[in-house]
Amino acid sequence: GAGVSQSPSNKVTEKGKDVELRCDPISGHTALYWYRQRLGQGLEFLIYFQGNSAPDKSGLPSDRFSAERTGESVSTLTIQRTQQEDSAVYLCASSRGTANEKLFFGSGTQLSVL
Amino acid sequence: QKEVEQNSGPLSVPEGAIASLNCTYSDRGSQSFFWYRQYSGKSPELIMSIYSNGDKEDGRFTAQLNKASQYVSLLIRDSQPSDSATYLCAVYYGNNRLAFGKGNQVVVIP
């Protein structure tokens, strides 16, 4: 596609529910990142995928968070048993190679946990 | 823990003036440095990258890097209302990790 696409753009959920966020990277970009941005804060690294290699999950804040990506295509970030502190904008980015290159960000998913 | 620090608080500058943003980082081994601009409610976009000590100019933007002092700065000359945004400093420290600062909000007053 022309850019990184994320869906949904907004998600309101109740505490304890599971949510699934989707990211469709730029075609041909082997690297895909998930970041979390709380209000007024910087970007917090969550997980990184590179091609078919094992993902770097070291940024996931708890075992309620998981993510998948098949090859170099779509990725989904799943948050189980959501908590109010999970409320944030979840940003996906892709790049041709590593984070040492330009990252192209999607427009994000605003998650609100009530 | 890789730290990237940016001055807190919004920076208000009159139109046409120079906006100066500073960023310090903790990892002396970092080699690549980036400035991303983020408009309110939008996603970040890369505006500058710098890898060597000294200045790098691109249009009205100048990035300055001093590895000995572990700081990187961004100057915006002839500031325009369209420059009003949050500017995020990012430092690459290997292992495909990019650490971001909290950002500096710039408000250009017409």
Side-chain angles (χ1 to χ4, degrees):
Chain A
V4 179
S5 177
Q6 290 189 247
S7 61
S9 56
N10 282 282
K11 177 70 176 179
V12 180
T13 189
E14 294 179 350
K15 178 181 174 180
K17 300 285 189 181
D18 297 352
V19 295
E20 187 173 280
L21 313 180
R22 176 188 169 103
C23 172
D24 196 350
I26 293 173
S27 178
H29 280 194
T30 59
L32 186 148
Y33 306 80
W34 283 98
Y35 287 90
R36 177 170 69 179
Q37 187 174 31
R38 291 193 166 113
L39 188 64
Q41 302 298 308
L43 276 64
E44 176 187 359
F45 168 80
L46 297 178
I47 189 168
Y48 159 72
F49 296 91
Q50 175 63 271
N52 292 313
S53 301
D56 177 356
K57 303 180 180 180
S58 57
L60 295 178
S62 77
D63 59 7
R64 297 186 295 105
F65 289 72
S66 63
E68 293 183 349
R69 185 186 188 198
T70 302
E72 298 180 0
S73 61
V74 170
S75 175
T76 55
L77 176 68
T78 301
I79 308 173
Q80 296 178 309
R81 305 182 301 282
T82 52
Q83 302 296 310
Q84 289 184 333
E85 62 262 28
D86 299 334
S87 296
V89 175
Y90 289 81
L91 289 164
C92 175
S94 70
S95 74
R96 291 181 299 176
T98 70
N100 202 28
E101 301 180 40
K102 179 178 180 179
L103 296 188
F104 293 81
F105 284 87
S107 55
T109 294
Q110 173 72 63
L111 175 66
S112 300
V113 182
L114 304 180
Chain B
Q1 182 76 8
K2 310 295 184 181
E3 299 287 342
V4 179
E5 299 287 340
Q6 293 185 250
N7 296 333
S8 60
L11 176 65
S12 293
V13 295
E15 184 174 355
I18 296 175
S20 177
L21 306 174
N22 294 315
C23 169
T24 60
Y25 58 95
S26 62
D27 184 5
R28 186 170 291 277
S30 299
Q31 295 295 317
S32 306
F33 308 86
F34 307 88
W35 285 98
Y36 281 78
R37 177 177 62 197
Q38 186 174 26
Y39 291 114
S40 180
K42 303 295 184 183
S43 57
E45 58 177 335
L46 181 68
I47 56 170
M48 288 289 286
S49 59
I50 187 166
Y51 306 95
S52 305
N53 278 329
D55 295 359
K56 178 182 178 182
E57 187 174 316
D58 184 358
R60 295 185 295 107
F61 297 97
T62 298
Q64 299 174 320
L65 175 61
N66 184 322
K67 291 184 179 180
S69 300
Q70 294 177 236
Y71 82 79
V72 56
S73 63
L74 180 69
L75 301 178
I76 308 173
R77 292 184 302 281
D78 187 23
S79 295
Q80 301 297 308
S82 59
D83 296 327
S84 296
T86 296
Y87 292 81
L88 300 167
C89 175
V91 177
Y92 180 72
Y93 55 89
N95 294 322
N96 294 300
R97 289 292 192 94
L98 198 61
F100 285 84
K102 293 183 179 181
N104 284 124
Q105 184 183 4
V106 172
V107 179
V108 180
I109 303 169

